[in-house]
Amino acid sequence: MKGQTMHDDAQGSLDLSPISAKIIRLSAEIRTMPPERPEFLHTVLCQVGLPRRRPSELFFERRNGKASLLITAGKMYDGDAWVQQIVPYGTKPRLALFHISSEAVRLQSRTIPVGRSLRSFMRRLNLDTNGRSMAAFRQQMNALCACQMQLAYGPRNINAKPVELYDAWTNNGAPGQESVIELSEKFWEELREAAVPLDSRALEGLQHSCLALDIYTWLAHRLHRIKRPSGENITWSNMRAQFGQEYKGREADKDFKKAFNVALRQVREVYPTARIEEVSTGAIRTGFRLLPSPAPVAPTTTFIDMGRISCQ
């Protein structure tokens, strides 16, 4: 894409939106300082994200090349009955997955402390803690912790339910005791083998947008793997199949392109070393060319007592 950035907006207008102002501030930090510590996400989830809108059914599938994700809504016992949960969707379960996956890698444990209260955990994720937000967040956490998740890459199928034990923010523990979430053994094993490092400041800047988070994690996984100097071409059709599943109706293509361009522009601010060019045929933009780029966080490999965590 051409050289215009959100910094040009700052020069042309003194009335920046809070989101634009935050992205510009974090972009400046990212350009001048390395991250203090990375966040992590499973490599398949970087390629195929959770639904961005609430699915109409109790399952959701997304595919991208050889990678595929299937989520099935589960049930949770409330003390009296098994209650059907929804499929987790939106930014809230994404932010929770970033956090618990990252803490698992950092602590070298699948048992993750999540604070003494729901409010304190939400504050860790930089989320509003008003009554409506807390109720919506609890619904999404219940959905995430109850769901079944199957990951696939080519013929390799992995039944990797994320959470095995969820008893967070109840009155079952001692007063003031910090609650925990325990990842399933299989999800933890998969995360150890295929964790993609991400810049926490980028995630903070993009947390208003599911689409922007998905584009960022995809590019963080993809760009540094490209070896050909000429890069790889991606068509709008490819992008729509991967990221535009939720766009419906007569104007779906137009609406998706508009949303994608806005989100990509924000992603490029917080991933400044990403090399992406527009591809056109005449006056018609047909897609993008992805060029070899540094990862947003340098890949590393950490050895732990239980085995190796390989940062992809």
Side-chain angles (χ1 to χ4, degrees):
M1 296 179 72
K2 303 301 180 183
Q4 186 181 14
T5 70
M6 291 180 68
H7 296 285
D8 300 325
D9 292 340
Q11 296 171 3
S13 172
L14 298 178
D15 187 24
L16 286 172
S17 71
I19 289 174
S20 295
K22 178 195 257 188
I23 290 175
I24 290 172
R25 173 179 59 81
L26 293 169
S27 175
E29 292 183 13
I30 290 169
R31 292 168 190 269
T32 57
M33 295 182 291
E36 291 185 4
R37 61 181 189 177
E39 299 286 290
F40 295 92
L41 190 64
H42 190 282
T43 182
V44 172
L45 292 174
C46 286
Q47 300 171 72
V48 284
L50 303 179
R52 289 185 280 277
R53 300 174 186 170
R54 180 171 177 172
S56 58
E57 306 198 354
L58 294 178
F59 63 89
F60 174 82
E61 179 185 355
R62 196 190 297 280
R63 288 179 289 174
N64 172 25
K66 295 181 179 180
S68 183
L69 168 70
L70 175 63
I71 303 176
T72 305
K75 292 186 177 183
M76 183 169 289
Y77 194 69
D78 67 357
D80 294 312
W82 288 99
V83 179
Q84 180 65 60
Q85 304 298 311
I86 61 175
V87 174
Y89 71 93
T91 59
K92 292 178 175 65
R94 282 170 167 79
L95 296 175
L97 264 178
F98 289 139
H99 180 79
I100 61 179
S101 297
S102 303
E103 288 298 291
V105 172
R106 280 195 283 266
L107 297 174
Q108 304 174 11
S109 170
R110 62 189 180 101
T111 302
I112 314 304
V114 291
R116 291 180 171 84
S117 68
L118 179 66
R119 187 185 301 273
S120 67
F121 185 63
M122 291 178 67
R123 286 174 176 163
R124 292 184 187 182
L125 305 183
N126 298 309
L127 293 173
D128 290 334
T129 56
N130 60 52
R132 175 178 288 186
S133 294
M134 290 181 67
F137 184 74
R138 185 180 288 277
Q139 179 192 44
Q140 292 294 337
M141 286 301 298
N142 288 347
L144 177 64
C145 293
C147 77
Q148 300 293 327
M149 184 179 292
Q150 292 173 258
L151 308 174
Y153 194 81
R156 184 169 185 252
N157 286 261
I158 309 142
N159 191 349
K161 173 181 170 65
V163 176
E164 183 171 291
L165 173 65
Y166 175 56
D167 189 24
W169 317 301
T170 69
N171 296 321
N172 295 337
Q177 180 178 336
E178 186 160 18
S179 295
V180 297
I181 288 176
E182 187 173 293
L183 299 180
S184 71
E185 183 69 36
K186 189 60 180 176
F187 187 87
W188 168 229
E189 289 175 0
E190 286 296 316
L191 184 64
R192 288 165 53 200
E193 289 300 317
V196 176
L198 308 164
D199 194 314
S200 60
R201 297 165 298 182
L203 300 179
E204 180 184 350
L206 302 175
Q207 72 177 54
H208 63 282
S209 168
C210 294
L211 182 57
L213 287 172
D214 288 351
I215 294 171
Y216 172 76
T217 56
W218 168 63
L219 292 176
H221 168 268
R222 181 75 179 273
L223 288 181
H224 74 98
R225 301 179 186 291
I226 297 174
K227 304 303 180 184
R228 288 188 301 173
S230 59
E232 298 176 0
N233 286 357
I234 303 292
T235 67
W236 273 116
S237 178
N238 297 144
M239 294 293 91
R240 174 70 194 282
Q242 182 175 352
F243 296 106
Q245 192 169 338
E246 289 85 354
Y247 289 83
K248 309 292 184 183
R250 296 178 59 185
E251 299 294 316
D253 285 341
K254 180 179 178 181
D255 292 343
F256 168 69
K257 287 183 179 181
K258 181 179 179 180
F260 186 89
N261 281 324
V262 170
L264 179 60
R265 187 177 179 185
Q266 294 174 343
V267 168
R268 287 166 62 87
E269 284 293 321
V270 295
Y271 187 178
T273 57
R275 299 175 59 220
I276 308 169
E277 297 177 349
E278 289 184 355
V279 176
S280 301
T281 301
I284 301 175
R285 292 185 301 168
T286 57
F288 300 94
R289 180 174 296 111
L290 308 181
L291 296 164
S293 308
V297 178
T300 59
T301 300
T302 304
F303 290 88
I304 64 176
D305 292 341
M306 295 174 63
R308 186 186 70 183
I309 293 181
S310 179
C311 298
Q312 303 292 305

